[in-house]
Amino acid sequence: QKEVEQDPGPLSVPEGAIVSLNCTYSNSAFQYFMWYRQYSRKGPELLMYTYSSGNKEDGRFTAQVDKSSKYISLFIRDSQPSDSATYLCAMRLTGGGNKLTFGTGTQLKVEL
Amino acid sequence: DTGVSQDPRHKITKRGQNVTFRCDPISEHNRLYWYRQTLGQGPEFLTYFQNEAQLEKSRLLSDRFSAERPKGSFSTLEIQRTEQGDSAMYLCASDASPGGEQFFGPGTRLTVL
């Protein structure tokens, strides 16, 4: 079993829809949670960075962390075709080397 | 451009050849990371440096792989005697300790024929 599980999709939604992306994890020591967006053949781009449980909002993006359930989510409001990409969740421990443990990524397509 | 840069962006090589990749981190970042990403998977940690010291290496980093960061600035990743299984995207990232946000470069895509 992987430490971080993420449905690979693909997920296809119409333009303007609300998108919900999720990850579950097994290591309760993870304290920092991130979402990255990756376009085809490009490097990951940091979207959201949160510490411990709670919500964080940035424009059309909202990240939620529920440590009691070991479950994190990313919501995208008013989705656009330009949001079509692979979304990777990542997490790390407190202290240590800051290395990230990633999910497999969810491929999202927003259609006109 | 003040982001993380990697060179080359693409490398095609024959099995058994040695290859070397370079990463230039964001200038004020003292920590540098290497990851490997295969098709349909998330990046997997290989190794990281704090300044010039290599502090952790993954079990994925076989003895054919070596990484350096001689002056605490840019880093190189060398793969000796490449195998077809080494074909992947090699990603470099950097951050500023402690607890900084980690930013990735565009990656070097390696194809081993």
Side-chain angles (χ1 to χ4, degrees), chain A residues 47-111:
Chain A
L47 285 177
M48 301 291 281
Y49 180 85
T50 55
Y51 171 71
S52 196
S53 285
N55 294 357
K56 183 176 182 178
E57 187 173 322
D58 184 0
R60 296 186 295 113
F61 299 92
T62 299
Q64 289 186 349
V65 176
D66 182 349
K67 289 195 69 187
S68 63
S69 300
K70 298 191 186 72
Y71 187 86
I72 69 171
S73 301
L74 177 71
F75 297 95
I76 308 173
R77 290 182 299 280
D78 188 26
S79 56
Q80 303 295 310
S82 58
D83 295 327
S84 298
T86 296
Y87 290 79
L88 296 155
C89 64
M91 47 201 77
R92 69 173 184 85
L93 308 173
T94 297
N98 239 27
K99 66 181 180 184
L100 301 180
T101 301
F102 283 86
T104 55
T106 299
Q107 188 178 352
L108 171 67
K109 185 173 184 180
V110 181
E111 301 194 66

Side-chain angles (χ1 to χ4, degrees), chain B residues 10-47:
Chain B
H10 305 274
K11 178 71 176 178
I12 300 174
T13 190
K14 293 182 179 179
R15 188 175 47 151
Q17 298 294 305
N18 299 343
V19 294
T20 300
F21 310 140
R22 175 178 170 129
C23 170
D24 287 87
I26 294 171
S27 58
E28 60 268 27
H29 286 179
N30 61 336
R31 292 203 287 207
L32 184 149
Y33 305 79
W34 287 98
Y35 293 82
R36 181 171 69 187
Q37 185 177 25
T38 54
L39 197 63
Q41 301 297 317
E44 295 177 293
F45 170 79
L46 292 177
T47 188

Side-chain angles (χ1 to χ4, degrees), chain B residues 82-101:
Chain B
T82 52
E83 301 173 356
Q84 287 184 325
D86 297 331
S87 295
M89 173 82 93
Y90 290 85
L91 293 162
C92 176
S94 70
D95 67 16
S97 59
E101 297 175 356

Side-chain angles (χ1 to χ4, degrees), chain B residues 43-89:
Chain B
E44 295 177 293
F45 170 79
L46 292 177
T47 188
Y48 96 97
F49 294 83
Q50 180 155 320
N51 300 312
E52 65 274 10
Q54 188 174 17
L55 296 186
E56 186 173 351
K57 294 192 287 187
S58 161
R59 290 171 298 167
L60 294 175
L61 211 67
S62 77
D63 56 6
R64 296 184 298 107
F65 289 69
S66 63
E68 295 183 341
R69 194 183 183 198
K71 296 183 180 179
S73 56
F74 73 91
S75 176
T76 58
L77 178 67
E78 181 183 16
I79 309 174
Q80 295 183 329
R81 305 181 303 281
T82 52
E83 301 173 356
Q84 287 184 325
D86 297 331
S87 295
M89 173 82 93

